[in-house]
Amino acid sequence: MIILDEPYASVPLLDWMEASGHPVLANGFTEKLVADGRSLNLVDEAEAARRLEAGERIYTNSENALAWILDHVDNPTLTEPIRLFKDKAAMREKLAALNPELFYATVSRDELEAINVTDLPLPVVLKPAVGFCSMGVYVIEDPEDWANAVADIARHEEGWHARYPESVVGSQTYVIEGYIGGTEYALDAYFDEEGAPHILNILRHDFAGPEDTSDRMYLTSEAIVRELEPRFTAWLAAVNEVVGARAVPVHVELRLDGDTIAPIEFNPLRFAGLGGTDVAFFGVGLRTYEAFLEDEPADLPALYGAHPGKVYSMSLLNPAPDADLARPFDAEALCKHFTHVLSYHDFDAETVGFYGFLFLETSDDEAGAAERRWLLENDLTEFAR
């Protein structure tokens, strides 16, 4: 069972859905896709709820779908993990024993201005308890950073909530947690009916600098997969000993610092958002949603081992702060900067908040690193015509 919703469904996902005939909920988004020529196996709300209450596996492209499931489906095995995974504060409490030294606290939106920053064990990260795509995430190193973060929230929160429902980007509760050093990674994975984890993507999240919280650069390669798949699989198994999720896909963000693995967030029923999970398809031919829905775990080391010396990356093209999103974005000019563009997907920037998604293949050498570094550090203003 699949639920599609705003703001975007990727072309590889839609192509596979047409070919496979998996049932998909009929809603405004999918009915428009059918009207525009897509051949989808639509089922009504009653049929979709019946399937999910019977325990059928479910995948969504958008967290907008979570609210429909919580409102229409009576299946605690499904709905309880959704609520837990989406609540960063609740997950912190649930997994506290795995990282007892990690500071965290929760505050209401109204309390942000009154926080005495000098009482916090700086540096810390401030983020909404329910969030998406780094919206409202800030690294706080001094009191000025806190004041700037609160001002930025006040300036942008109306726009966030205009684009996404409360179940995707919450507005009332924020989490303050200790800043975790090391390297950030993102995992697309699922827990099967016995609770065992299966990883379908391992993506290193690179940043332009310590204050960068964007989703501009995620990358994977044979070396990353071979080194980290066993370790992250074991960690997910430990997490699920506490959580107890069954037949649930999840997009996980975490930090790895020496012997410590610390979670950042768990996003249920989907993989990397806005079609980002398709980096595996464009790179090594793996449809992650197919592997989950048809219960075909992937041999990641073998898949990436067939592409030695290659790095596959996905870049969510965020605009510069206060950019005019109504200005056309020249993606063709941007793509000319790279030796091998796998795919580019354009977004309605005013609706989604991003210009598009760029997928690249680069070499695992200095020339490839230079291409990725240029993209990571460019604010893209030269391409907003």
Side-chain angles (χ1 to χ4, degrees), residues 10 20 36 51 89 93 105 228 240 254 256 271 289 338 340:
S10 75
S20 66
D36 291 341
R51 287 174 175 270
E93 295 178 7
L228 295 173
N240 213 32
L254 57 88
L256 175 63
F271 297 139
Y289 28 83
F338 308 103
H340 191 176

Side-chain angles (χ1 to χ4, degrees), residues 11-13 201 277-289 304:
V11 171
L13 172 60
N201 258 327
T277 192
D278 286 328
V279 65
F281 172 71
F282 293 121
V284 299
L286 172 63
R287 290 184 174 92
T288 55
Y289 28 83
Y304 285 90

Side-chain angles (χ1 to χ4, degrees), residues 1-3 13 16-17 20 22-23 56-60 190 193 200 249 271 287-296:
M1 180 72 211
I2 300 170
I3 299 180
L13 172 60
W16 175 76
M17 288 173 59
S20 66
H22 276 277
E56 189 166 308
R57 288 190 176 192
I58 170 69
Y59 178 79
T60 70
Y190 69 92
E193 278 74 8
L200 302 172
F271 297 139
R287 290 184 174 92
T288 55
Y289 28 83
E290 178 181 17
F292 165 66
L293 286 171
E294 301 191 356
D295 196 19
E296 297 177 350

Side-chain angles (χ1 to χ4, degrees), residues 103-105 107 114-124 140-143 146 176-178:
F103 170 82
Y104 79 93
V107 296
I115 292 292
N116 186 347
V117 184
T118 59
D119 291 338
L120 300 176
L122 301 178
V124 297
I140 310 298
E141 297 182 334
D142 56 45
W146 184 274
I176 308 169
E177 63 185 9

Side-chain angles (χ1 to χ4, degrees), residues 67-311:
W68 184 89
I69 295 172
L70 295 176
D71 288 343
H72 292 81
V73 177
D74 183 13
N75 180 356
T77 301
L78 175 64
T79 57
E80 289 180 6
I82 291 175
R83 291 189 174 93
L84 178 60
F85 282 138
K86 275 306 295 178
D87 189 332
K88 294 182 179 69
M91 280 296 291
R92 273 284 174 263
E93 295 178 7
K94 196 78 171 178
L95 301 181
L98 297 182
N99 300 101
E101 74 287 350
L102 182 63
F103 170 82
Y104 79 93
T106 59
V107 296
S108 71
R109 169 65 182 89
D110 294 338
E111 293 173 324
L112 291 179
E113 287 85 352
I115 292 292
N116 186 347
V117 184
T118 59
D119 291 338
L120 300 176
L122 301 178
V124 297
V125 175
L126 173 67
K127 58 189 178 183
V130 177
F132 178 62
C133 279
S134 300
M135 294 178 186
V137 179
Y138 307 89
V139 177
I140 310 298
E141 297 182 334
D142 56 45
E144 183 178 357
D145 288 340
W146 184 274
N148 291 338
V150 174
D152 192 70
I153 290 170
R155 187 162 54 249
H156 290 108
E157 59 187 341
E158 183 176 344
W160 298 333
H161 301 300
R163 296 189 183 103
Y164 298 97
E166 188 76 11
S167 60
V168 176
V169 180
S171 61
Q172 299 306 312
T173 304
Y174 278 74
V175 174
I176 308 169
E177 63 185 9
Y179 181 81
I180 307 161
T183 304
E184 186 169 315
Y185 290 89
L187 310 177
D188 287 336
Y190 69 92
F191 301 104
D192 63 23
E193 278 74 8
E194 285 69 50
H198 303 272
I199 297 178
L200 302 172
N201 258 327
I202 300 176
L203 304 165
R204 193 180 77 204
H205 190 178
D206 288 356
F207 297 95
E211 296 184 3
D212 180 16
T213 60
S214 75
D215 294 322
R216 178 65 66 84
M217 180 60 67
Y218 290 85
L219 56 88
T220 189
S221 67
E222 178 188 14
I224 289 172
V225 167
R226 288 195 184 278
E227 177 187 359
L228 295 173
E229 186 195 33
R231 187 171 181 185
F232 287 155
T233 299
W235 178 76
L236 286 174
V239 166
N240 213 32
E241 286 292 322
V242 178
V243 174
R246 298 290 186 270
V248 173
V250 64
H251 178 71
V252 185
E253 303 210 353
L254 57 88
R255 277 191 175 263
L256 175 63
D257 188 9
D259 294 332
T260 300
I261 299 175
I264 297 172
E265 63 183 33
F266 293 78
N267 299 283
L269 301 198
R270 69 169 177 89
F271 297 139
L274 297 173
T277 192
D278 286 328
V279 65
F281 172 71
F282 293 121
V284 299
L286 172 63
R287 290 184 174 92
T288 55
Y289 28 83
E290 178 181 17
F292 165 66
L293 286 171
E294 301 191 356
D295 196 19
E296 297 177 350
D299 185 344
L300 289 189
L303 286 171
Y304 285 90
H307 302 268
K310 300 300 183 182
V311 176

